[in-house]
Amino acid sequence: MANTLTALIPTLYETIDIVSRELTGFIPSVALDASVARAAVGQQVLVPISPAAAAVDITPGVTSPNQGDQVFTNTPITIQKSRGVPFRWNGEEQRGLNANGPGYNALKNSQIAQAMRTLTNEIEAYVGGFAYPGASRAYGTPGTTPFATDLSATAQLRKILSDNGSPLTDIHVTFDTTAGAQMRTLTQLTKANEAADDTMLRQGVLLDVHGFELRESAGVQHVAPGTAAGYVTNGAVAAGSTVIPVQTGTGTILGGEIVTFAGDPNKYVAVSLAGGNLTINKPGLRTALAGNTAMTVAAAYTGNLAYHRNAIVLATRAPALPTEGDMAEDRTTIVDPRSGLAFEVSMYKQYRQVYYEMAVAYGGAVIKPEHIATLAG
């Protein structure tokens, strides 16, 4: 039989440009891992993480030194969801649309574009949701939109990544449209003579700043704090520690909350609080803390993020099929030109009706917290 879906692809792409689309900033700027994409739903793939290397004194001798072993850690990544957007038509519905309406094909193509929009938004929010709890440290004032007067925020984010040893190529900042609107008001970017470019002024396109590629996203998360209050450190804690004993306080701390300690200007991103131990993300404390140092939990904030591409991994693939195949009469893959995601479109002929489905399986994880920083807004 004819490959009917393949013949529709040019029309589908025309329709994609007409249907409303939210902004995607995370998906195009994180890493895709093909080895993870081969995993089944719910199956873990371990991504090895190389340890920090230690230098040794060189002592000449008749044999080579018996040293150099390292202990590798890993981060598990799981294909967590297999999702589809279905729609169907029967013959009477098609006849009615073609005889007195916009036409069956026009509406079907719009449905496919809307299905792509739904899945793209879901994955964008998914990445924004698992990425913000994996940041190393934070900059900015929770509840206050960044870029009010200048570009100091991106300079400070670059400093955090630099101090953590992140590569400074292929780095990105993804923020919500409120921060984007604030940035577009900065005169140093909209005055062509100061920016050396009129793109921001004429077209509203965000320029690269301080080495970051800037993107807006509808998937940036708004983070509400837990109920923790009154905690202090339980004894002295060394710089570099990621587990901080605390005492006397009450309440919970959620992953992704921003915490600070008296006398330390750094803002740390919490992983959890359990058994009297607060865990923060790597690389841990920047300064040593004395016993009974007060801890403060930040207010609610918007989880804008700065990161190196390879710090965040996203895996997507077509949902798995049985070896023998299934009942689909036709199946093809189309790529969303906005996000770069590939989706599988299938057609199933049923009793006097036809069933369509757009589908994708996906999962992801933060594999390098040191190379992510939160821009609290």
Side-chain angles (χ1 to χ4, degrees), residues 235-249:
V237 188
S241 298
T242 57
V243 177
I244 304 165
V246 293
Q247 61 181 348
T248 73

Side-chain angles (χ1 to χ4, degrees), residues 227-234 245-253 260-261 273-274 276-278 292-297:
T227 58
Y231 283 101
V232 298
T233 56
N234 186 4
V246 293
Q247 61 181 348
T248 73
T250 60
T252 60
I253 287 182
T260 57
F261 296 93
L273 174 62
N277 290 317
L278 170 71
N292 294 313
T293 300
M295 183 185 79
T296 302
V297 179

Side-chain angles (χ1 to χ4, degrees), residues 192-227:
N193 64 318
E194 294 183 17
D197 192 314
D198 66 355
T199 308
M200 175 79 87
L201 174 64
R202 306 299 179 195
Q203 302 177 37
V205 176
L206 294 171
L207 305 174
D208 293 356
V209 174
H210 296 140
F212 289 107
E213 294 183 28
L214 306 181
R215 297 179 186 272
E216 292 171 288
S217 170
V220 171
Q221 302 295 299
H222 298 280
V223 186
T227 58

